[in-house]
Amino acid sequence: MFLSSATNTLDAKGRVSVPADFRAVVAQSAFDGIIVWPSFDGAYLEGGGIALLQDYQRSLETLDYYDEGRIALQRAIFAESRRLPFDGGGRVSLPKDLHEYAGLNGKITFVGLGRRFEIWSPAAYAERSENVRKLARENRHRLKPVPRDAQGGTL
Amino acid sequence: MFLSSATNTLDAKGRVSVPADFRAVVAQSAFDGIIVWPSFDGAYLEGGGIALLQDYQRSLETLDYYDEGRIALQRAIFAESRRLPFDGGGRVSLPKDLHEYAGLNGKITFVGLGRRFEIWSPAAYAERSENVRKLARENRHRLKPVPRDAQGGTL
DNA sequence: TGGGATAGCATGGGATTTTATGGGATACAA
DNA sequence: TTGTATCCCATAAAATCCCATGCTATCCCA
């Protein structure tokens, strides 16, 4: 489970350390690294382990082959995603077009959100999450107990 | 189940013993430690075992992906939480920003609340709990019998 | 029931390991 | 060759491990 946030530095070679906790999440999975793609919801990146993409795949396979949504999501996620392997020090090289998409320079923030994570420029994330606690307080009643055997959605 | 309260000392390295009773609650779960995050309801911390976060995740997955409340709660809980593993003596290191958020120094109070717990500065907790009994008395009718086979709540 | 033995707990501090990060060397591609 | 990507090693700071200690609670047996 991806938890907590951390801000690391993007070096001159375009490398950045993935937080050790995040690395632990994807350890012993089929691919020793992370998968990252540009969010279709804003100027930031989304990512996860290979298992997340496999879950997405399973979810999309419940839709018709030519379902418009299926195709759109496949294009936005599968086609745009990059496989970023860890180097010996637990870093990944973030391709230049992804830097640019998310407006990253110097520092980048990893944000753990459970089954996936996001990558933000620290300033943009600070702005976006300015009122989180207030909003969370207002929405706390939405966090309802769920029966143990109910299946949660994948996406 | 997290029960009772205990006050332990925060040492120079930022470590604090988690009450043995609390450790027993999370023993034999996937992660040997606790998860802690700043409460969105006041200057204290909330925490629980990994199972609690998994319950929260299941609950959030019943909401729409772009639901404002879902996003706020995800950011306020998942992105803000820290995974704190036990050391050999059953202690955790509490990150500095969490100390500061909860105004902790020297002594800290663990408060068991069933499925989760809270972490308070002893003084703040004493103040907060001044009229717990009164509030509880006013809410006594909320404590209703539940059939044995009904699924337990998340909170 | 008393009281000594034992085990578990909270705590301190030194030693060791991990982490994040920089930079050179090496392989690969255009 | 020249640029690009990957691998490897070095390092300082931080986190973690490990052992020791006093205290408390529990156990056990006379």
Side-chain angles (χ1 to χ4, degrees), chain B residues 33-53:
Chain B
I34 54 175
I35 317 284
V36 173
W37 66 95
S39 169
F40 44 78
D41 200 40
Y44 61 94
L45 310 178
E46 297 192 37
I50 189 76
L52 175 69
L53 277 283

Side-chain angles (χ1 to χ4, degrees), chain A residues 139-153:
Chain A
N139 282 280
R140 67 181 144 194
H141 60 279
R142 311 287 299 279
L143 197 57
K144 294 199 168 83
V146 172
R148 267 309 151 83
D149 54 350
Q151 288 300 331

Side-chain angles (χ1 to χ4, degrees), chain A:
Chain A
M1 217 172 177
F2 296 105
L3 293 178
S4 98
S5 310
T7 297
N8 289 341
T9 74
L10 193 62
D11 71 14
K13 292 180 175 178
R15 299 175 301 184
V16 63
S17 287
V18 175
D21 283 355
F22 285 24
R23 297 203 301 265
V25 174
V26 300
Q28 89 232 33
S29 76
F31 168 61
D32 186 39
I34 54 176
I35 317 286
V36 173
W37 65 95
S39 169
F40 45 79
D41 196 42
Y44 61 95
L45 310 178
E46 298 192 37
I50 189 75
L52 174 69
L53 277 284
Q54 286 163 353
D55 284 352
Y56 282 1
Q57 166 95 327
R58 255 195 302 282
S59 173
L60 291 174
E61 275 172 354
T62 65
L63 303 176
D64 292 342
Y65 286 125
Y66 287 105
D67 180 283
E68 198 177 62
R70 172 178 180 151
I71 294 170
L73 287 165
Q74 280 175 333
R75 288 196 196 289
I77 299 176
F78 295 129
E80 294 295 318
S81 68
R82 308 296 172 81
R83 195 185 281 261
L84 308 180
F86 297 137
D87 72 6
R91 288 175 292 194
V92 297
S93 311
L94 210 53
K96 194 144 34 117
D97 55 329
L98 292 185
H99 297 182
E100 286 162 9
Y101 183 85
L104 305 174
N105 56 337
K107 295 278 177 185
I108 87 174
T109 299
F110 289 83
V111 181
L113 293 172
R115 99 209 290 21
R116 65 184 182 87
F117 60 84
E118 292 175 355
I119 294 177
W120 290 77
S121 116
Y125 184 65
E127 191 181 323
R128 169 86 167 226
S129 60
E130 216 167 62
N131 292 322
V132 259
R133 293 210 183 94
K134 179 167 170 291
L135 269 175
R137 192 177 332 124
E138 290 166 7
N139 282 280
R140 67 181 144 194
H141 60 279
R142 311 287 299 279
L143 197 57
K144 294 199 168 83
V146 172
R148 267 309 151 83
D149 54 350
Q151 288 300 331
T154 289
L155 203 66

